[in-house]
Every structure is written in C-alpha cells, then in structure tokens.
C-alpha cells in the first residue's frame, strides 16, 4: 500500500496525496512560513503552497519513500537569496559549473519535470553534491545589507 501524506494548505484546508507523487519539496523564503511541493497524481504536474514546515514535509516524504535517492541543495534566486530544495538525484539530467556568479551560484542543474525540464541555480558545488568535499555551513542565508 502506498503511504498517503496528510498535509495542510496555506488556507488551512487539508490536503492528502500519495507520498510517491511528490517530486520536489522546497523551503519558502525567510519571510514566509511553510513550504512548497511539486507533485503529479496523473493529471500532469502541479504545485501547492503548504503551511506545514519544510523539514516536516521533507522527512515525511523521504520516510514514506516518496523521493527516492534524495539530495538537498541550496537554491539561489536572482537576488542571491537562498532556500533549501529536496529532490531525487535521478531527476537531475544535467549539471553545469558556474565559475563566477555575482549571486553566489556554483552550479546550474537541469531538472527533469515530466516531458519538460527546468534550470535550478544552486550554491552547492558539483563536488559537494557528489560527496567528495565537505560543504561549509549548508544552512546559510545571504545577509541583507
């Protein structure tokens, strides 16, 4: 039997779905509570904002084997702000090293998403993702000037 996760949407409504339908768990910005998930329950990919904490949802999904072979990376947006993202290593179809980034990105990942793909800028180096070097402080946010 496939485990069903019982989550809560931002508006307080309950949201239940099979753990194996969730493909990405993403922390929201420092100003927002909760997390976002990407999932597919057969009708094409979708995403939801949850009031549940990132760590709680990530643990539930991984414990229920929803995300196989998980990796947690530090995503970097265009303003240089960071947040954590957990996804399956198997969804990473390409990686490109960034030598000099003004926003702190070290690698650009190409992530498979259904029939399409998208790019994700991350602060993690390719060696850190491969486990050949130890990351410094994984949980850092860019200081606001």
């Amino acid at each position: 039997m496939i485990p069903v996760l019982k989550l809560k949407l931002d508006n307080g409504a309950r949201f239940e779905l099979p753990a194996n339908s969730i493909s990405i768990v993403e922390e929201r910005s420092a100003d927002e509570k909760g997390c976002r998930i990407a999932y597919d329950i057969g009708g094409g990919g979708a995403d939801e904002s949850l009031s549940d904490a990132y760590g709680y949802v990530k643990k539930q999904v991984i414990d229920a084997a929803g995300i196989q072979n998980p990796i947690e990376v530090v995503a970097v947006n265009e303003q240089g702000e960071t947040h954590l993202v957990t996804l399956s290593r198997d969804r990473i179809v390409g990686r490109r090293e960034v030598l000099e980034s003004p926003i702190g990105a070290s690698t650009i990942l190409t992530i498979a998403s259904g029939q399409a793909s998208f790019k994700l800028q991350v602060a993690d180096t390719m060696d850190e993702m491969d486990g050949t070097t130890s990351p410094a402080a994984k949980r850092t946010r860019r200081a606001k000037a």
Side-chain angles (χ1 to χ4, degrees):
M1 182 170 185
I2 298 172
V4 173
L5 300 182
K6 299 174 187 300
L7 305 169
K8 193 164 278 198
L9 298 173
D10 269 346
N11 66 5
R14 291 180 293 188
F15 184 55
E16 298 180 1
L17 74 163
N20 65 353
S21 67
I22 297 176
S23 56
I24 297 173
V25 180
E26 182 175 2
E27 181 182 50
R28 299 204 354 226
S29 71
D31 301 338
E32 300 176 296
K33 295 185 186 239
C35 67
R36 294 188 59 76
I37 58 169
Y39 66 96
D40 188 343
I41 52 177
D47 62 272
E48 293 289 345
S49 291
L50 305 174
S51 63
D52 297 303
Y54 166 79
Y56 169 78
V57 175
K58 177 184 84 166
K59 181 175 179 355
Q60 294 296 313
V61 171
I62 290 172
D63 287 353
I67 295 179
Q68 301 287 321
N69 195 12
I71 183 171
E72 182 175 70
V73 295
V74 179
V76 182
N77 68 15
E78 294 299 326
Q79 293 76 38
E81 299 169 333
T82 62
H83 62 279
L84 298 172
V85 176
T86 299
L87 64 147
S88 172
R89 289 178 185 272
D90 301 335
R91 297 176 64 82
I92 301 172
V93 295
R95 303 187 305 177
R96 180 174 158 227
E97 185 177 33
V98 178
L99 297 179
E100 294 182 29
S101 170
I103 61 171
S106 296
T107 309
I108 298 174
L109 303 177
T110 302
I111 311 296
S113 179
Q115 299 297 327
S117 64
F118 65 92
K119 305 267 190 236
L120 180 66
Q121 296 183 98
V122 298
D124 305 80
T125 65
M126 292 168 73
D127 288 340
E128 289 170 346
M129 287 184 274
D130 293 341
T132 57
T133 62
S134 175
K138 178 91 172 180
R139 184 84 172 110
T140 59
R141 290 198 183 269
R142 186 163 225 151
K144 297 193 179 199

